[in-house]
Amino acid sequence: MTSRPIESSMDERRRFPPPETFRARAVVTDERVYEEAGREPEAFWERAAGDLHWFRRWDQVLDWNLPDARWFVGGRTNMAFNCLDRHLTTARRNKAAILWEGEPGETRVLTYWDLAREVNRCANALLSMGVRRGDRVAIYMPMIPELPIAMLACARIGAVHAVVFGGFSAEALRDRINDAQAKMVITADGGYRKGTIIPLKRNVDQAIADVPTVRHVLVVRRIGEAAAIHMVEGRDRWWHRALDGMRMDSPAEEMDSEELLYILYTSGTTGKPKGIVHTTGGYMVGTYLTTKWIFDLREDDLFWCTADIGWVTGHSYVAYGPLLNGASILMYEGAPDWPERDRFWELVEKYGVTVFYTAPTAIRTFIRWGADWPARHDLSTLRLLGTVGEPINPEAWMWYRKHIGGDRCPIVDTWWQTETGMILITPLPGITTLKPGSATVPFPGIEAHVVDEHGAQVPPNAGGYLVLRRPWPAMLRGIYGDPARFRREYWERIPGVYFTGDGARRDEDGHFWLLGRVDDVINVAGHRIGTMEVESALVAHPKVAEAAVVGMQHEIKGQALAAFVTLKEGVDSGGDVTDELRAHVTQKIGAIARPDRIMFAAELPKTRSGKIMRRLLRDIAEGRLLGDTTTLADLSVIQGLRERYEEDVQD
Ligand code: ATP
Ligand code: MG
């Protein structure tokens, strides 16, 4: 990318300041936090750390020796102690920590006291099976309370968890278990997804068939007989048996701030997944403060982050961040369209959810299904909405605001990564004036910039690379087992700064607009075009639900655009919809951004975390062999597209 302005006339002029009623009760309303934290970031993070429990206070807030950062140096603490024990001596002791609903409809409520008891019992069971401080434990589970219980139990005894999303195959699981050299796997006999049973335990059997490091498998009974599993003598143990008779207290290990808390593999949107390493003290402080400030958490809130705990969003904002704050969370096991397409809205109504956090891919799906589904439910308890995972198209943002937020809830569009551990670019809902499609500004104490390939800051509205100039507490400490890749991918692309891999521009107010991956900004006849903006133009058309735009080689223009489009339900792709969409993009952005090819698809290829996989669409558009497909949610979608694309080209 160069510093020339991106062709952009996506005139997004809508502005939403915090509503007075919201602001009046918000957790943070004083804009001076930005200036204060900017001036003295270490003192800022130190104040946040002071809210939490430490066995030993740190000697130094930050030791920064690029690329290695150490936070709260010399401090000793325990994540599980802070998520649980700290609340047990307060009025939160009998407050609901987790309100859980299974896909088939059963419910469970765990208070902080209940949760602490189960975590302690599980911690003792792990110890009895030989798991020790520093050992890695792979967790491969459905969204049931035993999943955060297992994570917290690991944290309590100082074991390092590596959660693998329950939708991954046996093969993907094996790669991750091997990479992490896990000593134990915690799983369930199965899980429910749209009424069918996911054979988790059987996948584990296959995955560890020839993995020598794994000594034990601990199995939660979720399904029962129907799962038809086989327990291997000496290796496998039932969770309920292993925990039975275990003591309800286990000492929390006094962990050094920089001891490993967990390893988590990225989504694989741009390539092969990496095992991102997070440590204890800084991650704890970062997730604690961002949860409190960004989601404006109050004692009486019910927070629902719809992410699976298998992704970083679930680690930081289903489990750790909310529990550190003593909040009540809703946890749901299943799919949004089971048994009907209003399950989420039914749950919001049933439990009285107040803060709701989801992903653009989900919002675009809801748009495709139509506004009648949410309209059937009373969503008036909602007071704040959030989004994460991909750039959100302004029209999807507006739909979310109107149909879910009743035109009254602020929306926090939060930018961050598995690597950053915590949200870094985001509004603060009591302060920031929102612009649909913009993640707005860096969190206090965070220094983000948009630069060219030499690291020089680009002028306002010019596209460039998003980089971070200063360490933040929850930043990754490395890629597990691959320090060279850590340096190469994040610290050597532009020396001296953290390279995010995302493209962005910053507008005249200093607000950030994420443009997608750096590879998603292309050059058509000498003009830089962010494919994200073309997608947003397409999504703004009333017939379009979702769009993915990629660049392909073109003899004359250098690169040209190919668009893959999903129409709203009931809309026919026949007639002249193609011409209509081309004309629409021309009008919104300019002829230069008009896609050369438009292909309609019932579904777009996505990662298992729901992100559009543009790199595979690029492979199709350029007639190449497909790259790594192991993290695809559904391989048949991309295969179908490829066949149709090739037939089309021959016509
Ligand atoms: P991999 O790194 O393996 O290719 P991934 O980048 O999809 O996978 P994650 O760490 O889950 O793995 O996702 C982080 C990325 O998601 C960010 O780099 C960014 O591209 C995108 N993202 C997250 N939140 C936002 C947001 N609010 N706006 C725009 N993009 C976002
Ligand atoms: Mg990434």
Side-chain angles (χ1 to χ4, degrees):
M1 270 187 282
T2 69
S3 56
R4 271 206 292 143
I6 284 185
E7 293 296 318
S8 170
S9 52
M10 279 296 294
D11 259 341
E12 188 44 76
R13 300 208 180 283
R14 292 167 287 199
R15 299 280 184 280
F16 300 91
E20 238 348 282
T21 47
F22 188 93
R23 199 183 154 85
R25 293 189 61 195
V27 170
V28 206
T29 51
D30 188 345
E31 283 177 43
R32 280 174 304 184
V33 291
Y34 287 103
E35 197 263 325
E36 276 169 27
R39 201 162 10 92
E40 290 188 347
E42 292 173 32
F44 174 76
W45 293 114
E46 184 163 41
R47 273 196 299 283
D51 289 355
L52 298 162
H53 172 272
W54 299 78
F55 297 108
R56 183 183 187 280
R57 199 184 156 87
W58 53 92
D59 304 312
Q60 193 187 344
V61 177
L62 170 66
D63 170 30
W64 172 230
N65 186 358
L66 196 137
D68 299 312
R70 297 192 302 147
W71 282 86
F72 305 106
V73 184
R76 296 201 155 240
T77 186
N78 184 285
M79 179 59 121
F81 188 95
N82 272 286
C83 289
L84 302 168
D85 307 48
R86 208 162 56 83
H87 308 306
L88 299 183
T89 49
T90 72
R92 287 177 184 148
R93 185 174 188 264
N94 292 316
K95 174 179 176 175
I98 300 177
L99 296 163
W100 175 80
E101 173 142 331
E103 193 187 79
E106 4 42 323
T107 60
R108 276 170 77 183
V109 178
L110 284 99
T111 63
Y112 272 91
W113 179 257
D114 295 331
L115 190 60
R117 184 186 58 235
E118 296 311 307
V119 168
N120 276 298
R121 285 174 2 118
C122 181
N124 282 323
L126 297 184
L127 287 170
S128 77
M129 284 183 275
V131 179
R132 292 291 174 265
R133 185 167 175 159
D135 287 345
R136 273 83 54 215
V137 174
I139 301 180
Y140 179 65
M141 285 172 97
M143 281 287 280
I144 56 178
E146 285 80 1
L147 169 50
I149 290 169
M151 292 161 74
L152 288 161
C154 288
R156 190 159 196 98
I157 64 172
V160 179
H161 58 71
V163 180
V164 179
F165 171 55
F168 274 122
S169 64
E171 196 185 324
L173 175 63
R174 184 186 50 219
D175 292 348
R176 288 163 180 74
I177 291 175
N178 265 327
D179 189 81
Q181 296 274 293
K183 191 168 177 184
M184 180 177 195
V185 181
I186 308 181
T187 188
D189 54 356
Y192 291 105
R193 190 75 188 174
K194 297 203 198 196
T196 64
I197 294 169
I198 309 206
L200 296 171
K201 170 63 166 66
R202 275 188 270 152
N203 287 348
V204 170
D205 291 341
Q206 228 183 317
I208 64 173
D210 34 41
V211 175
T213 58
V214 176
R215 298 231 208 96
H216 287 291
V217 180
L218 186 59
V219 187
V220 176
R221 179 175 279 161
R222 168 74 188 113
I223 305 289
E225 289 298 304
I229 63 160
H230 170 67
M231 297 290 278
V232 176
E233 183 81 39
R235 187 195 73 182
D236 302 350
R237 293 196 66 188
W238 285 107
W239 171 287
H240 55 276
R241 299 239 171 89
L243 268 64
D244 191 35
M246 284 294 156
R247 288 167 52 96
M248 289 189 202
D249 59 343
S250 83
E253 285 283 325
E254 299 191 7
M255 304 297 286
D256 185 274
S257 291
E258 286 300 333
E259 268 180 275
L260 260 61
L261 177 66
Y262 68 78
I263 301 168
L264 181 65
Y265 294 84
T266 55
S267 333
T269 309
T270 54
K272 207 169 145 33
K274 315 157 263 234
I276 302 299
V277 169
H278 283 293
T279 57
T280 305
Y283 177 82
M284 178 173 82
V285 173
T287 52
Y288 161 73
L289 192 72
T290 49
T291 308
K292 181 171 176 171
W293 283 20
I294 297 163
F295 299 107
D296 194 52
L297 281 190
R298 293 198 305 249
E299 214 51 66
D300 58 352
D301 273 313
L302 178 59
F303 182 46
W304 185 17
C305 167
T306 68
D308 192 285
I309 288 182
W311 310 118
V312 75
T313 304
H315 279 60
S316 299
Y317 300 107
V318 175
Y320 290 124
L323 297 176
L324 285 167
N325 280 282
S328 298
I329 63 161
L330 177 66
M331 193 175 162
Y332 167 58
E333 179 186 29
D337 55 346
W338 187 265
E340 292 289 349
R341 289 171 165 181
D342 59 349
R343 185 67 180 272
F344 274 19
W345 320 124
E346 187 188 300
L347 290 172
V348 168
E349 180 173 9
K350 175 175 172 187
Y351 291 94
V353 174
T354 58
V355 182
F356 178 77
Y357 187 34
T358 197
T361 180
I363 297 165
R364 292 186 307 251
T365 305
F366 301 141
I367 296 175
R368 183 148 62 91
W369 292 343
D372 289 348
W373 293 102
R376 291 183 190 175
H377 297 276
D378 177 1
L379 306 180
S380 63
T381 52
L382 290 173
R383 62 180 196 91
L384 176 61
L385 304 175
T387 140
V388 61
E390 291 178 285
I392 180 164
N393 318 105
E395 291 312 315
W397 194 102
M398 292 302 297
W399 188 97
Y400 192 30
R401 177 182 153 85
K402 179 168 177 210
H403 295 287
I404 309 303
D407 282 327
R408 89 188 157 267
C409 303
I411 298 178
V412 288
D413 174 358
T414 62
W415 177 89
W416 59 299
Q417 311 176 300
T418 309
E419 294 88 336
T420 70
M422 65 190 237
I423 296 168
L424 294 188
I425 302 181
T426 177
L428 287 178
I431 296 181
T432 317
T433 291
L434 309 173
K435 298 173 188 172
S438 168
T440 72
V441 293
F443 191 80
I446 302 303
E447 221 191 281
H449 294 279
V450 180
V451 302
D452 63 20
E453 58 268 45
H454 309 296
Q457 201 154 316
V458 302
N461 283 317
Y465 301 110
L466 177 65
V467 299
L468 301 160
R469 283 232 176 109
R470 212 194 255 156
W472 61 98
M475 67 195 284
L476 78 165
R477 300 301 196 263
I479 295 179
Y480 195 70
D482 200 346
R485 188 173 177 199
F486 172 59
R487 285 175 173 271
R488 194 171 65 239
E489 289 207 3
Y490 304 107
W491 301 100
E492 285 170 2
R493 293 286 299 269
I494 299 174
V497 297
Y498 173 87
F499 185 81
T500 65
D502 285 344
R505 72 183 163 83
R506 203 171 183 179
D507 68 19
E508 49 291 342
D509 304 325
H511 286 205
F512 286 78
W513 297 77
L514 276 300
L515 302 171
R517 313 310 171 116
V518 291
D519 311 340
D520 294 336
V521 176
I522 65 160
N523 192 332
V524 179
H527 299 264
R528 302 273 153 190
I529 296 178
T531 51
M532 170 65 197
E533 305 211 39
V534 185
E535 290 167 10
S536 287
L538 286 164
V539 172
H541 189 279
K543 290 183 180 165
V544 175
E546 193 157 46
V549 172
V550 298
M552 53 182 186
Q553 296 304 323
H554 189 281
E555 279 170 25
I556 299 154
K557 300 184 196 172
Q559 276 186 306
L561 295 170
F564 297 80
V565 172
T566 302
L567 296 172
K568 284 190 189 152
E569 285 197 345
V571 175
D572 182 7
S573 63
D576 28 23
V577 182
T578 304
D579 294 337
E580 212 177 307
L581 293 184
R582 282 212 183 100
H584 175 78
V585 173
T586 306
Q587 182 232 324
K588 282 255 170 195
I589 306 184
I592 195 73
R594 190 175 54 208
D596 270 44
R597 300 203 54 195
I598 294 184
M599 182 163 168
F600 297 101
E603 295 212 51
L604 298 176
K606 292 183 180 170
T607 59
R608 284 169 209 257
S609 56
K611 298 175 194 217
I612 300 172
M613 277 255 225
R614 291 177 189 76
R615 69 175 162 89
L616 295 180
L617 292 173
R618 256 193 318 269
D619 292 342
I620 291 188
E622 301 199 318
R624 273 195 302 270
L625 280 178
L626 293 180
D628 187 303
T629 53
T630 53
T631 58
L632 267 180
D634 180 353
L635 189 60
S636 68
V637 169
I638 193 86
Q639 285 165 339
L641 272 179
R642 147 157 264 163
E643 280 160 25
R644 282 186 35 222
Y645 196 91
E646 282 164 2
E647 279 165 24
D648 257 31
V649 176
Q650 281 157 13
D651 288 349

